[in-house]
Amino acid sequence: MLSVNAYAATSPTEPLTPATIDRRDLGPHDVLIEIKYCGICHSDLHFVRGEWDEQNVHYPVVPGHEIAGIVAEVGTEVTRHAVRDRVGVGCMVDSCGECANCRKGEEQYCLEGNTLTYGSVDNEGDVTQGGYSTHIVVTEDFVLKIPEGIELDVAAPLLCAGITTYSPLRHWGAGPGKKVAVVGLGGLGHMAVKLAHALGAEVTVLSQSLKKREDGLRLGADHYYATGDPATFEALAGSFDLIVNTVSAKIDLDAYLSLLALDGTLVNVGAPAEPLSLSVFSLIMGRRSFAGSLIGGIRETQEMLDFCAERHLGADIEVIPADKINDAYDRVLASDVRYRFVIDTSTLT
Ligand code: NAP
Ligand code: ZN
């Protein structure tokens, strides 16, 4: 057992504080990773604050599922990774491997329920703890390779924000000739803009205001509109083939559905705790679809990392020491993130 430094939430309301946690001994298929950077995802906030399912949060919880680091040690039967490899871990650390969805490489939809990087009960009955820590032990099949061509700090957010936007963009065919809108320019949103642009789509940002317009255009958007202005909804009615909604709060779905062209899809990746409602007429009029999407499978995550490395595409980040995690949480809640906070884990002392 390895005892490592971490940052943990002890209740839904207290600030996160320094903690020490144990990492299991290496099994034959395990990889010990020295974590260099870990991104802060809005899901970490929803989770530690008990917004999704307070009864089932086992405190203390060490969040973090955008992990980038270096392999420090490998189990006796590990073949996919070697000591000193640059690697990443995203939202999952295990799945059944046998159900229909796992066999398709869609482990995020494992029918037995996959093991999340933090807050899940693993095969040994222990609650998993995430990447706001200096080391983690993960079974080799859930460890991704971070190719040369992306630095570890800007690669970390790809492990959640990157794959969560890449997967629906690919699934719904974002590419040349397609008009894609991204709602919310935060961690996921800014990656959605970069990726949709790299895939060749015409990209529009729909942000609450025009404050981040220059950034949006620099990230690859062709157009930028403020959703706080009702004229936006008139100007863009019936325009988009695909809308990716990354907003962490409740939005007026009917207003956004009205922006879809015939056969268009609004896919929700934002995961607010409150239920969203819509009028079925928003779907009927225009054969529109409303869909959801959860991260992406391991194979697709590797594909996304390779795609980003070839294009030298990483996240726009603000690197912070561990003692600024609580400030960063406040800024995420205030939509004051440009565009992902990343913890330098060498500061976890
Ligand atoms: P984030 O960095 O906080 O970005 C969310 C953005 O949404 C904000 O920057 C803001 O953009 C907009 N926004 C926030 N509050 C709003 C409000 N009340 N009304 C309208 N717009 C608002 O969060 P994130 O890390 O990208 O995560 C976004 C959501 O995706 C979270 O709910 C998270 O849990 C979820 N998520 C889902 C998956 C999945 O697999 N489906 C994976 C990861 C995260 P503007 O300032 O531009 O308006
Ligand atoms: Zn996330």
Side-chain angles (χ1 to χ4, degrees):
M1 203 99 91
L2 181 67
S3 180
V4 305
N5 291 335
Y7 237 69
T10 52
S11 85
T13 49
E14 300 295 309
L16 279 72
T17 47
T20 306
I21 53 168
D22 291 330
R23 294 304 189 185
R24 67 172 182 258
D25 290 331
L26 280 197
H29 291 285
D30 281 342
V31 175
L32 172 67
I33 301 166
E34 182 189 346
I35 301 174
K36 296 288 188 188
Y37 297 99
C38 183
I40 293 179
C41 178
H42 204 120
S43 300
D44 301 345
L45 282 77
H46 289 306
F47 190 89
V48 305
R49 294 177 178 212
E51 289 173 16
W52 285 336
D53 191 0
E54 192 171 347
Q55 311 309 320
N56 285 323
V57 181
H58 306 270
Y59 295 98
V61 49
V62 175
H65 57 211
E66 293 187 336
I67 296 170
I70 305 285
V71 175
E73 208 181 320
V74 292
T76 50
E77 288 175 34
V78 168
T79 55
R80 299 166 72 107
H81 306 285
V83 171
R84 284 189 292 282
D85 280 0
R86 305 163 83 245
V87 292
V89 176
C91 301
M92 301 178 281
V93 289
D94 211 352
S95 74
C96 84
E98 286 166 10
C99 73
N101 294 351
C102 283
R103 283 203 305 269
K104 278 188 221 152
E106 304 274 19
E107 301 89 350
Q108 71 279 33
Y109 304 118
C110 174
L111 297 170
E112 299 296 318
N114 52 38
T115 309
L116 297 174
T117 304
Y118 61 84
S120 267
V121 178
D122 67 16
N123 288 337
E124 289 161 29
D126 296 321
V127 177
T128 55
Q129 300 287 8
Y132 297 6
S133 61
T134 58
H135 296 77
I136 191 168
V137 175
V138 179
T139 189
E140 62 173 328
D141 289 349
F142 284 77
V143 177
L144 287 306
K145 292 189 180 304
I146 297 182
E148 299 297 330
I150 344 176
E151 295 302 320
L152 291 181
D153 53 359
V154 299
L158 301 179
L159 276 304
C160 175
I163 184 59
T164 300
T165 50
Y166 181 83
S167 186
L169 288 168
R170 295 280 293 170
H171 185 80
W172 278 280
K178 293 286 166 115
K179 291 188 178 182
V180 175
V182 175
V183 190
L185 194 65
L188 266 56
H190 96 290
M191 283 313 309
V193 171
K194 288 189 183 206
L195 290 166
H197 174 70
L199 289 165
E202 184 179 333
V203 185
T204 300
V205 174
L206 301 174
S207 180
Q208 292 169 93
S209 73
L210 294 178
K211 271 192 281 189
K212 296 181 273 189
R213 185 172 177 277
E214 293 308 311
D215 287 351
L217 299 178
R218 175 179 54 78
L219 294 168
D222 301 283
H223 317 282
Y224 199 105
Y225 288 85
T227 53
D229 179 355
T232 291
F233 290 88
E234 283 165 36
L236 299 177
S239 322
F240 300 111
D241 301 298
L242 177 65
I243 300 177
V244 181
N245 174 26
T246 75
V247 174
S248 48
K250 194 171 175 172
I251 61 166
D252 177 357
L253 283 181
D254 293 311
Y256 288 89
L257 287 166
S258 76
L259 305 185
L260 288 172
L262 179 65
D263 289 328
T265 299
L266 167 55
V267 55
N268 227 83
V269 290
E274 320 85 301
L276 301 185
S277 63
L278 58 84
S279 158
V280 291
F281 290 100
S282 299
L283 304 176
I284 290 171
M285 307 306 281
R287 204 162 51 196
R288 296 166 175 141
S289 301
F290 177 57
S293 183
L294 176 67
I295 48 173
I298 293 296
R299 191 171 53 219
E300 192 173 41
T301 305
Q302 191 62 59
E303 176 189 306
M304 176 275 310
L305 287 167
D306 296 343
F307 176 90
C308 288
E310 275 164 28
R311 290 158 183 80
H312 300 290
L313 251 182
D316 280 29
I317 58 169
E318 186 172 333
V319 177
I320 57 161
D323 63 7
K324 291 280 182 284
I325 290 172
N326 293 302
D327 296 339
Y329 273 32
D330 290 342
R331 286 181 54 194
V332 168
L333 283 179
S335 299
D336 177 22
V337 47
R338 302 204 178 189
Y339 282 87
R340 201 56 144 182
F341 290 108
V342 171
I343 303 161
D344 173 354
T345 58
S346 69
T347 61
L348 285 163
T349 49

